[in-house]
Amino acid sequence: MRNRLAVLLPAWAWLLIFVAAPAGILGAIALAEADPGVPPFRLAWSTAGFAMLVADDYYLGAFLTALRVAATTAGLCLAIAYPMAMGIARARPDRRVLLLALLMLPFWTGFLLRVGAWIGLLRDEGWINGLLQGLGITDAPLPMLYTEGAMLVGMVHAYLPFAVLPLFAALLRLDPTLLEAAADLGARPAIAFLTVTLPATAPAAAAAFLLVFIPAAGEFVIPELMGPSEANLVGRVLWQEFFQNRDWPVAAALAVALLVLLLVPIRLFQRLEARP
Amino acid sequence: MTALLRAEAITKRFGPTLALDALDLEIGQGEFFALLGGSGSGKSTLLRIIAGFETPDSGRLLLDGTDIAATPPWARPVNMMFQSYALFPHMSVADNVAYGLRRAGAPKAEAASRIATALAMVGLSGFERRRPHELSGGQKQRVALARSLVMRPRLLLLDEPLGALDAGLRERTGFELRALQRETGAAFVMVTHDQEEALALADRVALLDGGRIAQVGPPREIYERPASRFVARFLGAANVLEGRAAQDRFDCPDAGITCAGAIPADTVAIALRPERIRIAAAGEGPNTARGIVQDVAFRGDDSLVLVDLGGGTTLRVAHPEEGGPPPARGAAVTLAWEAADVVPLAS
């Protein structure tokens, strides 16, 4: 019993200091009143911050945009991850390690560096426009950066490995004789994929979707640096409220609302993970 | 016998390994055929080539006279029952059986009646809504069988069909397989490593060794007249004695025995089945031997007696129960056999 306590103590301490305490502080700020001083709030028992979220369509719009962009990102990741994961799962075991390492390689460079690289490629004076104009294919630069497309490219690039890894694990477990049985019974490869591979790996696909969707819903850096100025995702709005408007109670209320909203997919993910 | 399937000089390599070495084979209409062999004999490769999962490096595979060696598996009128059964885990029993019919675009009403017939045939009516994980091993095997049979294949491939079943179920399932084969009129080609299974079920058996056919023929023929040392040893562990052929006799100098009979000049060894050797009261001359009982193992309907002849030779003798109690360990015995039971081996 004492041993168990000793083992669990650091974990509980960690949770207390880095999860419970910040959440408590956040909750307290969300319920505080805005104040022009330092810090910019006065502890109180006010629901004004939350009332603001409901009253102003701007915040509801920010949530909906974030959910839409996160769902699109997760969907694109899934579409790209399936063929990648199948390729890796079917590769020779020694090559599999190399392919997985290549998949993780971008994570070894800084996140901002990768976003910066995309900006360098996509901006008006960037590599792609330079090449297109240099070859005489276009006269004027194509506006690529600061579009929703650029934002999605950045997001998909950042989150793709989260989708590939669970699919890879599920495809590796998939019995290859199932596909042979499907072929034997008259299914062409595409039909066998739709009728056998896809349903058999559906739980992993759902997990992959949520693993991308959950962090993407709160993403703020990529929309800020690569997205159009009108793309007011909740993460971005939250940042603006904290650092530009200095309305901490509204910002904290936004953070709490986002957390509650994401608890639904997180719970879904846990149930999928718990399945045998 | 009209040939349904004919393999001509089929060769298949996996890297440096020669899996099939210019193999020729003919399988008749409505025949129950067994491909027997140890691991690495090429029997599974041959089955996978017939199913279409592997392409031969050279040679032709003719089904009804048409070369199908390059036809993909989904376009072949051949179906397979997998050793692991390979049931689709996310589908019910009925959906598993319906899978092939759906791919073929069978009308709904016809499909439903064919599924019901196939499930009734394997004794699984009423299991339509079950999932594979809710079935026993034997039931899974029946679903796999129904899933193949519902396609009405002219050629059904069975990969170790009894391999995953326990002993009691094997015998019953074996008889059921034969009944199904007669009922459907399809040719069954079974891969097995178990010689008893092959001999019991098949109309003809091909024994494979190193990617070649060592011998092919009806079970009784290859059992009683093995063509080589390998066949004799593989089928029922016959005694194989090395020696030299002479005029109408075969001398085994190591064992100190001589066999008289019709021995061709090219004989390099002889086979003697354990159940053809009698423990005699006395005797001398050709087709007898003397030795010491090394060990006795009771097997139910007979006892296996190991008799040491000296010179490093041990004979396996099956002593039937009705022949009285077997000799005790250490006893000196005389063995005798008929000239007709001596099987000359040419290789």
Side-chain angles (χ1 to χ4, degrees):
Chain A
M1 194 62 209
R2 186 172 292 175
N3 276 343
R4 212 178 125 180
L5 203 68
V7 169
L8 286 177
L9 202 62
W12 281 112
W14 195 90
L15 282 175
L16 188 73
I17 297 169
F18 294 110
V19 180
I25 295 169
L26 199 67
I29 299 175
L31 293 170
E33 278 172 6
D35 185 86
V38 175
F41 62 88
R42 200 173 53 245
L43 282 181
W45 192 257
S46 156
T47 54
F50 288 103
M52 181 85 108
L53 299 190
V54 183
D56 197 336
D57 280 354
Y58 178 69
Y59 299 110
L60 182 66
F63 274 111
L64 290 179
T65 313
L67 294 182
R68 182 175 58 78
V69 169
T72 312
T73 304
L76 286 171
C77 279
L78 217 52
I80 299 170
Y82 249 112
M84 279 179 78
M86 279 171 73
I88 301 173
R90 285 183 190 175
R92 289 206 321 261
D94 54 331
R95 196 162 295 170
R96 229 180 256 158
V97 180
L98 178 74
L99 290 171
L100 282 175
L102 284 174
L103 177 73
M104 304 308 295
L105 196 65
F107 273 64
W108 298 354
T109 62
F111 175 68
L112 283 177
L113 218 59
R114 273 180 285 149
V115 175
W118 275 114
I119 293 174
L121 279 171
L122 297 176
R123 69 198 167 105
D124 285 359
E125 310 80 40
W127 286 43
I128 295 176
N129 272 318
L131 188 70
L132 288 175
Q133 282 172 284
L135 293 173
I137 298 169
T138 55
D139 299 329
L142 289 175
M144 287 185 288
L145 193 60
Y146 309 126
T147 60
E148 181 151 334
M151 179 171 72
L152 286 173
V153 164
M155 302 262 274
V156 168
H157 182 212
Y159 292 114
L160 189 60
F162 294 110
V164 175
L165 291 176
L167 284 178
F168 164 72
L171 287 166
L172 207 58
R173 279 198 309 267
L174 184 72
D175 180 3
T177 54
L178 291 183
L179 294 175
E180 287 187 347
D184 187 64
L185 293 164
R188 290 162 174 280
I191 301 292
F193 175 80
L194 290 175
T195 54
V196 177
T197 310
L198 210 51
T201 55
F209 185 91
L210 292 175
L211 272 177
V212 174
F213 180 84
I214 294 165
E219 178 61 45
F220 130 80
V221 177
I222 294 170
E224 181 72 22
L225 295 179
M226 297 178 73
S229 52
E230 69 275 13
N232 286 314
L233 279 67
V234 70
R236 206 171 172 190
V237 169
L238 205 154
W239 190 86
Q240 285 163 358
E241 293 295 347
F242 256 118
F243 297 105
Q244 287 173 359
N245 294 348
R246 287 180 59 79
D247 191 338
W248 284 24
V250 166
L254 265 173
V256 170
L258 181 62
L259 188 66
V260 170
L261 203 66
L262 288 183
L263 280 178
V264 178
I266 289 170
R267 186 79 197 94
L268 267 175
F269 175 69
Q270 285 175 331
R271 290 179 77 173
L272 278 173
E273 285 288 282
R275 283 221 316 217
Chain B
M1 183 183 76
T2 38
L4 174 64
L5 185 87
R6 188 209 291 273
E8 291 177 356
I10 297 268
T11 299
K12 178 73 183 174
R13 281 173 189 284
F14 293 109
T17 319
L18 189 60
L20 291 175
D21 184 6
L23 183 136
D24 293 306
L25 186 69
E26 240 184 60
I27 292 165
Q29 214 84 249
E31 191 178 24
F32 201 136
F33 195 90
L35 294 170
L36 176 64
S39 60
S41 61
K43 59 186 193 303
S44 298
T45 304
L46 182 57
L47 197 75
R48 291 176 61 77
I49 284 178
I50 299 173
F53 301 134
E54 306 283 355
T55 315
D57 297 336
S58 63
R60 300 204 303 163
L61 185 68
L62 303 165
L63 186 74
D64 277 333
T66 316
D67 191 351
I68 58 161
T71 309
W74 58 84
R76 291 189 187 198
V78 170
N79 289 101
M80 172 142 158
M81 198 192 87
F82 292 80
Q83 186 176 9
S84 63
Y85 310 141
L87 299 180
F88 304 125
H90 55 285
M91 292 184 200
S92 67
V93 166
D95 285 338
N96 263 284
V97 179
Y99 190 88
L101 295 175
R102 291 214 177 109
R103 303 289 84 77
K108 269 212 163 118
E110 191 204 325
S113 84
R114 275 171 71 174
I115 293 163
T117 311
L119 284 175
M121 217 187 256
V122 298
L124 279 183
S125 298
F127 283 70
E128 286 84 354
R129 306 183 76 94
R130 299 265 190 106
R131 291 291 179 114
H133 68 86
E134 297 170 309
L135 302 176
S136 71
Q139 289 168 338
K140 280 183 198 166
Q141 196 231 29
R142 282 148 190 276
V143 175
L145 204 52
R147 188 175 69 173
S148 303
L149 286 176
V150 80
M151 302 306 290
R152 296 183 185 153
R154 299 193 47 210
L155 185 60
L156 179 69
L157 309 172
L158 304 128
D159 191 2
E160 301 274 4
L162 309 182
L165 302 177
D166 49 44
L169 206 51
R170 296 183 104 178
E171 189 179 278
R172 204 181 88 195
T173 310
F175 279 114
E176 282 168 357
L177 276 181
R178 293 238 302 194
L180 280 173
Q181 192 258 337
R182 282 192 298 267
E183 206 174 318
T184 57
F188 279 26
V189 177
M190 167 177 85
V191 151
T192 179
H193 66 276
D194 183 326
Q195 83 281 356
E196 274 183 45
E197 206 172 288
L199 297 178
L201 294 182
D203 298 322
R204 280 198 311 147
V205 178
L207 179 58
L208 272 73
D209 179 31
R212 291 175 155 275
I213 290 183
Q215 193 173 357
V216 58
R220 191 172 292 280
E221 183 184 303
I222 69 165
Y223 182 80
E224 289 182 348
R225 292 281 135 188
S228 66
R229 297 181 184 100
F230 172 79
V231 178
R233 289 206 182 97
F234 199 96
L235 294 168
N239 298 296
V240 175
L241 297 169
E242 305 286 329
R244 208 173 306 105
Q247 184 69 43
D248 281 334
R249 70 169 213 274
F250 188 81
D251 299 316
C252 311
D254 291 343
I257 52 180
T258 292
C259 296
I263 308 286
D266 62 351
T267 304
V268 294
I270 56 143
L272 260 181
R273 298 232 147 257
E275 65 274 19
R276 302 289 188 186
I277 305 175
R278 290 188 316 277
I279 294 171
E284 250 182 67
N287 298 334
T288 64
R290 278 165 209 265
I292 306 292
V293 175
Q294 209 174 51
D295 212 340
V296 182
F298 178 61
R299 298 198 296 191
D301 49 356
D302 66 5
S303 297
L304 182 68
V305 184
L306 296 184
V307 179
D308 185 2
L309 302 186
T313 307
T314 306
L315 278 187
R316 305 166 81 250
V317 179
H319 179 74
E321 276 302 285
E322 57 269 27
R329 203 153 60 87
V333 290
T334 303
L335 304 173
W337 54 88
E338 301 300 321
D341 293 330
V342 175
V343 181
L345 305 173
S347 66

